[in-house]
Amino acid sequence: MAISAEVEVTPLAEVVETPEAESERLELVMSRLRRIHPSERTEEQRQELRDANARLVALYSVPPEGYSTPKAVTDLLSFAESHGWATSATWTALGYAGEPFLNVKVGHLVPEEERENYRGDRWVYSLTWHSRDCAPGKTRRFGQGTAVTPDNPATHGAPSVKAIRDVIAKNPAAVSVAA
């Protein structure tokens, strides 16, 4: 004799992950994947690492509540992007309880055909804007920042934003226009 019971299954409410929880989860994913030697990673693991990194950059590029990206930063980023340079602007981790800060990077690889003229193969400028000792919602450039340049590939002090813009203007990358 078979016993039949009809059970009604109700769908569970969709669980929405907070941005803070998502960033913590993604940091753990990246930490786990980085422990695997690059030569031993599968293509799926490489893709998972790229996806997690891209999502973290997207999460960290949003200014904390009450803050906005300084005009000097947006101007530098748009100028660098218009000249084909890679850019990144990331705020402190989500849920950070201290005074927020913004890390900005602009960089460009030396073209293959020009590398023999230099000791290094790239320009990378890293600058920080910090809210320490500023009015609420405000930031200012903090410290000198760092630079890596083809002429001086060891990490050294970064020049002014104006000088960085001059380097970018003199060394544009090929800018591709997608159709």
Side-chain angles (χ1 to χ4, degrees), residues 3-136:
I3 300 177
S4 156
E6 199 170 301
V7 177
E8 185 177 327
V9 178
T10 58
L12 295 174
E14 186 176 327
V15 176
V16 178
E17 189 175 39
T18 65
E20 290 85 358
E22 182 182 12
S23 68
E24 286 179 26
R25 179 180 56 77
L26 291 169
E27 291 284 359
L28 288 171
V29 166
M30 290 187 64
S31 174
R32 175 182 53 85
L33 291 170
R34 285 184 177 144
R35 280 186 244 135
I36 302 169
H37 192 276
S39 66
E40 295 174 359
R41 289 183 195 139
T42 66
E43 184 53 40
E44 293 79 23
Q45 290 169 327
R46 285 189 205 91
Q47 187 59 47
E48 187 179 6
L49 192 59
R50 285 190 294 266
D51 293 344
N53 186 60
R55 181 63 186 141
L56 277 172
V57 168
L59 285 169
Y60 292 158
S61 66
V62 176
E65 188 173 329
Y67 287 85
S68 61
T69 303
K71 184 176 181 337
V73 172
T74 56
D75 290 350
L76 176 62
L77 295 175
S78 7
F79 187 78
E81 288 168 1
S82 72
H83 285 78
W85 283 46
T87 64
S88 167
T90 55
W91 288 86
T92 47
L94 301 173
Y96 177 73
E99 297 167 317
F101 56 90
L102 173 63
N103 290 318
V104 176
K105 286 187 180 184
V106 295
H108 167 53
L109 289 175
V110 174
E112 287 282 339
E113 62 276 4
E114 296 177 23
R115 289 192 182 167
E116 64 191 31
N117 302 329
Y118 297 105
R119 293 182 6 211
D121 67 348
R122 68 194 65 219
W123 287 272
V124 178
Y125 297 101
S126 298
L127 308 171
T128 301
W129 273 257
H130 205 293
S131 64
R132 183 179 305 146
D133 299 329
C134 294

